[in-house]
Amino acid sequence: GGGVGDVVNVTANWVNLTGFTVTNSGPNWYTLWGDSGIMLYSVDNCTISDVNSTGNQNGIFLVYSENITVIDSRVFSNSETGIRLHESSFNSIIDNWISNHLDGISVWGSGNTKINIANNNVTGNQDGIVMFYSTYSTVANNTISSNAITGILLMYANNNTLINNSISSSLRGFDTSGASKDNSLDKCILGGNGYGLRINFASNIIVRNCTIFGSTNDDMSLNRTSHILAINTTFDPVSVLFEDMNSTLTVQWYLHVYVNDTFGSPFAGAYVNVTDNASAQSNYTTDAGGMVWWQVVTEYVQNSTTLTHLTPHNVSAEAPGFDTNYSVEWLDSSRTVYLTLVDSTPPTTNLTIGLPQYGAAPVYVSNGTAFTMMAVDGGTGVAGIWYSLDNVNSVSYTHLRAHETSLHLVC
């Protein structure tokens, strides 16, 4: 570039840019868009790949553009933003290295929806990824490290999914402000930040299957009527800061229940009840493998003044003809509870008298008359059949035949 305006300005659809370096754009940041190494204005279906963008005001800038892919590029040491999107939807930022900017990746404007930001290395910026008014976008599998202020910042951003990101060594790992709501973090690791999560004026933030550790200030900070639901997430419970009276943290875990019979076989169709210490109940039925899977239970709800435990939980299993079994569980982590049902109903045994036989009630037999026994049990089945001729001693049944003249009562 000649130090004036954009280096490359794309104004046509279906353009592919690959395999070159753009540098030395104009320095303007105060114009509507700012000068850029690559500018795409109101275009669709373009690809930028294997490009170096450095020494510009903005590295790559998308304005009113859709279905753009920026992939496998190195965007570094631009004065303002690495990759910036303004009111540009359905775009993908994939497999890029983005370093040394005010904002590494910046998504601005009310028209940004369904952006895919994946597999990028975003490091050494002031803010790593900034999403302003973004909706229904996905930020996945990124390594976001050593950004001075924030790893990921959401402002007025709703219904976004952040999954499997590693966020480390920033003042704030994940930050929200400006009435952001219904955003979720799943399988993210936030380590060694000043604050792991710093949530301001944000409702229904779901943090699922995440690990937060090594925060120098707090693992979680909540302010201005913010609400976090943490599911199967590990963090330091004493490293939670409530900066107002209205914010809440709810901590939940996954519960699996395995029910078997006394032979160790899975018990399908058992009724499982889970009751917390506030008497809230949930009812389930075991599957063919004897399992109830992935039920969410609440350990506690906390605000600035109160921590209310909803555990221990009573977990019980029952089935017709079986004794109810239960376990009292302090659920402060995800786990499987094992219950065994014991058959409480005896089997029904039928005696068939063979020939020769004489009379009825009583029946008389002679030497050689065979007796056949059959037992039926609707529970755990029949382990064996025993009989007694003297109502004292029992004999395991294999076959039985009359062989003497004395009278016996078969029991």
Side-chain angles (χ1 to χ4, degrees), residues 86 104 137-138 168-169 183 231 299 353:
H86 179 85
S137 294
T138 300
S168 62
S169 303
N183 298 292
I231 304 173
E299 179 188 358
I353 303 174

Side-chain angles (χ1 to χ4, degrees), residues 224-245:
R224 300 181 66 189
T225 316
S226 295
H227 305 286
I228 296 177
L229 174 60
I231 304 173
N232 194 41
T233 291
T234 58
F235 61 95
D236 184 352
V238 302
S239 184
V240 177
L241 174 65
F242 292 90
E243 299 187 58
D244 71 333
M245 299 287 291

Side-chain angles (χ1 to χ4, degrees), residues 27-104:
N28 290 337
W29 58 269
Y30 49 84
T31 57
L32 184 58
W33 312 125
D35 294 331
S36 302
I38 299 175
M39 166 68 75
L40 289 82
Y41 186 91
S42 191
V43 297
D44 300 329
N45 302 301
C46 297
T47 299
I48 301 171
S49 64
D50 191 24
V51 164
N52 298 312
S53 181
T54 184
N56 305 289
Q57 187 64 27
N58 298 288
I60 299 171
F61 205 152
L62 281 60
V63 180
Y64 305 137
S65 297
E66 296 186 353
N67 297 309
I68 309 299
T69 298
V70 182
I71 186 170
D72 195 25
S73 293
R74 294 147 299 280
V75 184
F76 60 98
S77 299
N78 297 287
S79 299
E80 190 170 346
T81 304
I83 300 175
R84 182 170 180 177
L85 290 73
H86 179 85
E87 297 193 18
S88 297
S89 299
F90 311 107
N91 298 303
S92 295
I93 312 299
I94 305 172
D95 289 319
N96 302 286
W97 180 65
I98 303 160
S99 179
N100 194 22
H101 307 94
L102 294 180
D103 295 339

Side-chain angles (χ1 to χ4, degrees), residues 351-352 368-373 385-387 389 395-403 410:
L351 175 66
T352 302
T369 299
F371 296 84
T372 304
M373 291 183 177
I385 300 174
W386 287 262
Y387 67 91
L389 297 178
V395 179
S396 176
Y397 168 76
T398 56
H399 63 276
L400 178 63
R401 187 179 297 274
H403 59 85
V410 179

Side-chain angles (χ1 to χ4, degrees), residues 262-397:
T262 50
F263 298 108
S265 300
F267 199 116
Y271 303 110
V272 174
N273 175 274
V274 181
T275 305
D276 65 23
N277 67 9
S279 299
Q281 297 188 35
S282 300
N283 297 289
Y284 315 99
T285 302
T286 56
D287 62 16
M291 291 296 303
V292 171
W293 294 100
W294 301 109
Q295 303 308 313
V296 176
V297 294
T298 300
E299 179 188 358
Y300 63 84
V301 179
Q302 185 179 9
N303 58 29
S304 62
T305 59
T306 305
L307 190 153
T308 303
H309 276 105
L310 296 177
T311 203
H313 289 69
N314 188 306
V315 184
S316 64
E318 60 183 73
F322 291 79
D323 293 331
T324 299
N325 194 3
Y326 72 92
S327 178
V328 177
E329 300 285 336
W330 185 272
L331 296 176
D332 56 0
S333 62
S334 295
R335 70 185 64 179
T336 300
V337 174
Y338 298 87
L339 297 173
T340 299
L341 291 184
V342 177
D343 189 353
S344 60
T345 303
T348 300
T349 303
N350 295 312
L351 175 66
T352 302
I353 303 174
L355 298 175
Q357 59 170 276
Y358 310 94
V363 176
Y364 294 91
V365 298
S366 64
N367 277 346
T369 299
F371 296 84
T372 304
M373 291 183 177
M374 176 144 331
V376 177
D377 186 272
T380 54
V382 177
I385 300 174
W386 287 262
Y387 67 91
S388 175
L389 297 178
D390 55 13
N391 208 25
V392 175
N393 299 304
S394 296
V395 179
S396 176
Y397 168 76

